[in-house]
Amino acid sequence: TIQGSETVASMVVCENGRLRPAAYRKFRIMAGAAAARDGLQPSLPDDFAAMREAVQRRYQRVAQEDGPWPDLVLVDGGKGQVRAAYEALEALGLARLVVVGLAKREELLYLRDRPTPLEVPRESPALRLLQRLRDEAHRFALNYHRQSRRQRDLTSALDAVPGIGPRRRRALLARF
């Protein structure tokens, strides 16, 4: 998100150590968007609300389709993001799923039932896999965010005027 606008989330899938781009999903986060849509001042970006929304939307769909169920749900962030993900899963009756958070910089793993984060050796292949997944999710979300911003920035009030097509719109914008 940039100043609370165009907040997005992404999900990547890894099976047997291989990324599956066909199973990736992206989400436009609506938390805070309702206030902006109603002409009110949108609230500050809420990372936890965004995490809850993305996890709830994804796993509500998985529950409706009765799977496939992940062995592990990795979220980007620390204790607060893990808590937000579990809140969403508990609301769906899916608290049995295992969620861990990977905090950037420190590269610590946060688990629900552990009061202190787990430190994984930096050279561990497991940590490298988790970092790769997090970085791929960042890449995918960033591309979607850029696409959303580009789409938003290319719209004009003239788009809503009946009878003005793309050519006339370009001509009016060039003239005025």
Side-chain angles (χ1 to χ4, degrees), residues 77-91:
K79 191 176 255 184
Q81 285 80 4
V82 170
R83 186 179 312 116
Y86 269 116
E87 287 171 4
L89 292 171
E90 286 169 354

Side-chain angles (χ1 to χ4, degrees), residues 67-121:
W69 302 103
D71 295 323
L72 177 70
V73 177
L74 174 67
V75 297
D76 181 23
K79 191 176 255 184
Q81 285 80 4
V82 170
R83 186 179 312 116
Y86 269 116
E87 287 171 4
L89 292 171
E90 286 169 354
L92 297 169
L94 300 174
R96 69 183 183 282
L97 294 178
V98 178
V99 178
V100 299
L102 180 60
K104 197 144 183 141
R105 275 187 232 113
E106 304 93 21
E107 304 297 356
L108 299 172
L109 285 180
Y110 288 85
L111 294 92
R112 172 174 55 173
D113 302 329
R114 190 179 166 102
T116 58
L118 184 64
E119 193 170 341
V120 181

Side-chain angles (χ1 to χ4, degrees), residues 11 27 51-70 73 85 87-94 96-97:
M11 179 200 80
F27 304 93
M51 180 65 71
R52 271 190 299 276
E53 180 181 332
V55 170
Q56 183 169 10
R57 286 172 57 190
R58 172 59 189 157
Y59 289 101
Q60 188 169 32
R61 176 100 184 236
V62 171
Q64 288 170 352
E65 296 172 0
D66 198 26
W69 302 103
V73 177
E87 287 171 4
L89 292 171
E90 286 169 354
L92 297 169
L94 300 174
R96 69 183 183 282
L97 294 178

